Amino acid sequence: MKVIVAEDAGFCYGVKRATKAAFDAAAGVDGPVFTLGALIHNPQVVARLEREGVHAAKSLDEIGPGLAIIRSHGLPPDTKKALEERAGRVLDLTCPTVKAVQQRAADLAAAGYRVVIIGDRYHPEVQAIAGYAGPEVLIVNSEEEASAVPEGERIGVVMQTTHAAEACRRIAGALLDKAREVRVFNTLCDATSKRQHAALELAAKVDVALVVGGHNSANTGRLAELCRKLGARTYHVETADELVPAWFEGVSTVGVAAGTSTPDWIIEEIVARLKSWGDSRARTKTAE
Ligand code: F3S
């Protein structure tokens, strides 16, 4: 059985940077280390961090004196301030790409634009950007919501970095009617789209597509959905232990794709497990 890993798979730059820094902090810092919310949408990484002493707090109330880590999604300024007051020390691991969007939103608001963020209002990255975007900020996630934006003189549009490009195009189009001046900034990060293209390219040429990543990871779930839409037999697994041998009966090629929050070690474990099954099948055939 041949196992092919997608060209772009696993941790993006921002997640890799944040994860490495969190493990380094766990090893090098005396006293408690916290993250506000899970560092990334991958339960295995979060569990490893917990074992190393990095506690994922569900709310500010769980954070006491120590080092508090801001994850790659960023935080609104008032929450960041509250975190600093509670923990005393803060390590800001906001992804630089997200930071640039926060700055863009702040600049637009300061220049008198009503900032409109295209994205999911419940996503922490969007909530963080909104904190920089002035009091008139609006968050829209559909053309209907865009058409409900009040008409004004000037609108500045930014996008959740991981949002779908096609949806952003449509929603930004609907906002054009809303003001005499509409400035649209393409703030999408290509890490997600690169993984999507790589997964689709792979799914088109294998018998089974495996998408690896947290069941709670939206970008991994989206990868699996895209592969299925393409017609590929697709399974979404979090770890090697979720693999079922029957899925690979009579299969000659398996493609492995992974979202931006999937670490290399989980991808490697999956590949090793698949290869060991492929090898034992080959040996059985030879023995026959
Ligand atoms: Fe940053 Fe893009 Fe990843 S915005 S956290 S590098 S998906």
Side-chain angles (χ1 to χ4, degrees), residues 156-171:
V157 183
V158 296
M159 298 157 191
Q160 178 184 341
T161 58
T162 51
H163 216 48
E166 184 45 39
C168 289
R169 237 173 257 131
R170 281 187 280 104
I171 297 168

PDB file of all heavy atoms in Angstrom, residues 156-171:
ATOM      1  N   GLY A 156     -14.577  50.320   5.765  1.00  0.00           N
ATOM      2  CA  GLY A 156     -13.311  49.599   5.585  1.00  0.00           C
ATOM      3  C   GLY A 156     -13.535  48.129   5.909  1.00  0.00           C
ATOM      4  O   GLY A 156     -14.076  47.806   6.971  1.00  0.00           O
ATOM      5  N   VAL A 157     -13.164  47.264   4.983  1.00  0.00           N
ATOM      6  CA  VAL A 157     -13.466  45.839   5.143  1.00  0.00           C
ATOM      7  C   VAL A 157     -12.184  45.036   5.349  1.00  0.00           C
ATOM      8  O   VAL A 157     -11.216  45.184   4.592  1.00  0.00           O
ATOM      9  CB  VAL A 157     -14.208  45.305   3.890  1.00  0.00           C
ATOM     10  CG1 VAL A 157     -14.590  43.837   4.068  1.00  0.00           C
ATOM     11  CG2 VAL A 157     -15.458  46.145   3.595  1.00  0.00           C
ATOM     12  N   VAL A 158     -12.178  44.196   6.384  1.00  0.00           N
ATOM     13  CA  VAL A 158     -11.095  43.218   6.571  1.00  0.00           C
ATOM     14  C   VAL A 158     -11.727  41.831   6.705  1.00  0.00           C
ATOM     15  O   VAL A 158     -12.937  41.720   6.899  1.00  0.00           O
ATOM     16  CB  VAL A 158     -10.210  43.537   7.811  1.00  0.00           C
ATOM     17  CG1 VAL A 158      -9.479  44.847   7.648  1.00  0.00           C
ATOM     18  CG2 VAL A 158     -11.035  43.513   9.091  1.00  0.00           C
ATOM     19  N   MET A 159     -10.907  40.797   6.607  1.00  0.00           N
ATOM     20  CA  MET A 159     -11.444  39.432   6.608  1.00  0.00           C
ATOM     21  C   MET A 159     -10.769  38.560   7.661  1.00  0.00           C
ATOM     22  O   MET A 159      -9.561  38.705   7.897  1.00  0.00           O
ATOM     23  CB  MET A 159     -11.192  38.780   5.237  1.00  0.00           C
ATOM     24  CG  MET A 159     -11.884  39.515   4.116  1.00  0.00           C
ATOM     25  SD  MET A 159     -11.085  39.197   2.530  1.00  0.00           S
ATOM     26  CE  MET A 159     -11.904  40.427   1.506  1.00  0.00           C
ATOM     27  N   GLN A 160     -11.524  37.666   8.248  1.00  0.00           N
ATOM     28  CA  GLN A 160     -10.939  36.624   9.116  1.00  0.00           C
ATOM     29  C   GLN A 160      -9.905  35.882   8.277  1.00  0.00           C
ATOM     30  O   GLN A 160     -10.198  35.466   7.146  1.00  0.00           O
ATOM     31  CB  GLN A 160     -12.063  35.684   9.560  1.00  0.00           C
ATOM     32  CG  GLN A 160     -11.599  34.537  10.413  1.00  0.00           C
ATOM     33  CD  GLN A 160     -12.752  33.580  10.756  1.00  0.00           C
ATOM     34  OE1 GLN A 160     -13.925  33.945  10.654  1.00  0.00           O
ATOM     35  NE2 GLN A 160     -12.412  32.373  11.146  1.00  0.00           N
ATOM     36  N   THR A 161      -8.707  35.698   8.801  1.00  0.00           N
ATOM     37  CA  THR A 161      -7.613  35.184   7.961  1.00  0.00           C
ATOM     38  C   THR A 161      -7.899  33.810   7.351  1.00  0.00           C
ATOM     39  O   THR A 161      -7.372  33.485   6.295  1.00  0.00           O
ATOM     40  CB  THR A 161      -6.297  35.083   8.775  1.00  0.00           C
ATOM     41  OG1 THR A 161      -6.535  34.236   9.903  1.00  0.00           O
ATOM     42  CG2 THR A 161      -5.819  36.431   9.230  1.00  0.00           C
ATOM     43  N   THR A 162      -8.728  33.011   8.047  1.00  0.00           N
ATOM     44  CA  THR A 162      -8.952  31.634   7.587  1.00  0.00           C
ATOM     45  C   THR A 162     -10.291  31.465   6.869  1.00  0.00           C
ATOM     46  O   THR A 162     -10.740  30.346   6.647  1.00  0.00           O
ATOM     47  CB  THR A 162      -8.913  30.668   8.787  1.00  0.00           C
ATOM     48  OG1 THR A 162      -9.789  31.179   9.795  1.00  0.00           O
ATOM     49  CG2 THR A 162      -7.523  30.533   9.338  1.00  0.00           C
ATOM     50  N   HIS A 163     -10.947  32.583   6.541  1.00  0.00           N
ATOM     51  CA  HIS A 163     -12.264  32.460   5.926  1.00  0.00           C
ATOM     52  C   HIS A 163     -12.158  31.974   4.475  1.00  0.00           C
ATOM     53  O   HIS A 163     -11.108  32.110   3.838  1.00  0.00           O
ATOM     54  CB  HIS A 163     -12.966  33.815   5.977  1.00  0.00           C
ATOM     55  CG  HIS A 163     -14.441  33.687   6.219  1.00  0.00           C
ATOM     56  ND1 HIS A 163     -14.965  32.902   7.205  1.00  0.00           N
ATOM     57  CD2 HIS A 163     -15.509  34.234   5.581  1.00  0.00           C
ATOM     58  CE1 HIS A 163     -16.275  32.971   7.182  1.00  0.00           C
ATOM     59  NE2 HIS A 163     -16.635  33.773   6.199  1.00  0.00           N
ATOM     60  N   ALA A 164     -13.281  31.449   3.965  1.00  0.00           N
ATOM     61  CA  ALA A 164     -13.290  30.947   2.586  1.00  0.00           C
ATOM     62  C   ALA A 164     -13.249  32.128   1.611  1.00  0.00           C
ATOM     63  O   ALA A 164     -14.052  33.066   1.724  1.00  0.00           O
ATOM     64  CB  ALA A 164     -14.532  30.109   2.354  1.00  0.00           C
ATOM     65  N   ALA A 165     -12.327  32.072   0.648  1.00  0.00           N
ATOM     66  CA  ALA A 165     -12.119  33.200  -0.278  1.00  0.00           C
ATOM     67  C   ALA A 165     -13.389  33.504  -1.074  1.00  0.00           C
ATOM     68  O   ALA A 165     -13.749  34.679  -1.273  1.00  0.00           O
ATOM     69  CB  ALA A 165     -10.969  32.875  -1.221  1.00  0.00           C
ATOM     70  N   GLU A 166     -14.080  32.471  -1.503  1.00  0.00           N
ATOM     71  CA  GLU A 166     -15.264  32.677  -2.346  1.00  0.00           C
ATOM     72  C   GLU A 166     -16.360  33.433  -1.567  1.00  0.00           C
ATOM     73  O   GLU A 166     -16.975  34.364  -2.085  1.00  0.00           O
ATOM     74  CB  GLU A 166     -15.764  31.298  -2.842  1.00  0.00           C
ATOM     75  CG  GLU A 166     -16.924  31.324  -3.794  1.00  0.00           C
ATOM     76  CD  GLU A 166     -16.776  32.364  -4.900  1.00  0.00           C
ATOM     77  OE1 GLU A 166     -15.668  32.557  -5.425  1.00  0.00           O
ATOM     78  OE2 GLU A 166     -17.810  33.023  -5.211  1.00  0.00           O
ATOM     79  N   ALA A 167     -16.560  33.034  -0.320  1.00  0.00           N
ATOM     80  CA  ALA A 167     -17.566  33.717   0.516  1.00  0.00           C
ATOM     81  C   ALA A 167     -17.165  35.177   0.720  1.00  0.00           C
ATOM     82  O   ALA A 167     -18.009  36.081   0.641  1.00  0.00           O
ATOM     83  CB  ALA A 167     -17.695  33.000   1.858  1.00  0.00           C
ATOM     84  N   CYS A 168     -15.878  35.425   0.956  1.00  0.00           N
ATOM     85  CA  CYS A 168     -15.409  36.815   1.157  1.00  0.00           C
ATOM     86  C   CYS A 168     -15.687  37.655  -0.081  1.00  0.00           C
ATOM     87  O   CYS A 168     -16.107  38.810   0.011  1.00  0.00           O
ATOM     88  CB  CYS A 168     -13.914  36.833   1.464  1.00  0.00           C
ATOM     89  SG  CYS A 168     -13.529  36.193   3.090  1.00  0.00           S
ATOM     90  N   ARG A 169     -15.445  37.077  -1.247  1.00  0.00           N
ATOM     91  CA  ARG A 169     -15.670  37.791  -2.505  1.00  0.00           C
ATOM     92  C   ARG A 169     -17.138  38.220  -2.618  1.00  0.00           C
ATOM     93  O   ARG A 169     -17.449  39.354  -2.938  1.00  0.00           O
ATOM     94  CB  ARG A 169     -15.328  36.860  -3.675  1.00  0.00           C
ATOM     95  CG  ARG A 169     -14.288  37.437  -4.593  1.00  0.00           C
ATOM     96  CD  ARG A 169     -13.854  36.430  -5.616  1.00  0.00           C
ATOM     97  NE  ARG A 169     -12.566  35.877  -5.257  1.00  0.00           N
ATOM     98  CZ  ARG A 169     -12.241  34.587  -5.215  1.00  0.00           C
ATOM     99  NH1 ARG A 169     -13.144  33.684  -5.503  1.00  0.00           N
ATOM    100  NH2 ARG A 169     -11.047  34.212  -4.895  1.00  0.00           N
ATOM    101  N   ARG A 170     -18.037  37.275  -2.327  1.00  0.00           N
ATOM    102  CA  ARG A 170     -19.471  37.566  -2.463  1.00  0.00           C
ATOM    103  C   ARG A 170     -19.910  38.620  -1.442  1.00  0.00           C
ATOM    104  O   ARG A 170     -20.627  39.555  -1.758  1.00  0.00           O
ATOM    105  CB  ARG A 170     -20.297  36.284  -2.290  1.00  0.00           C
ATOM    106  CG  ARG A 170     -20.294  35.418  -3.561  1.00  0.00           C
ATOM    107  CD  ARG A 170     -21.245  34.255  -3.455  1.00  0.00           C
ATOM    108  NE  ARG A 170     -20.681  33.158  -2.685  1.00  0.00           N
ATOM    109  CZ  ARG A 170     -20.997  32.841  -1.442  1.00  0.00           C
ATOM    110  NH1 ARG A 170     -21.913  33.544  -0.798  1.00  0.00           N
ATOM    111  NH2 ARG A 170     -20.438  31.832  -0.820  1.00  0.00           N
ATOM    112  N   ILE A 171     -19.456  38.446  -0.196  1.00  0.00           N
ATOM    113  CA  ILE A 171     -19.892  39.359   0.869  1.00  0.00           C
ATOM    114  C   ILE A 171     -19.325  40.763   0.625  1.00  0.00           C
ATOM    115  O   ILE A 171     -20.034  41.763   0.759  1.00  0.00           O
ATOM    116  CB  ILE A 171     -19.480  38.806   2.255  1.00  0.00           C
ATOM    117  CG1 ILE A 171     -20.198  37.464   2.505  1.00  0.00           C
ATOM    118  CG2 ILE A 171     -19.800  39.789   3.360  1.00  0.00           C
ATOM    119  CD1 ILE A 171     -19.678  36.669   3.687  1.00  0.00           C
TER     120      ILE A 171
END
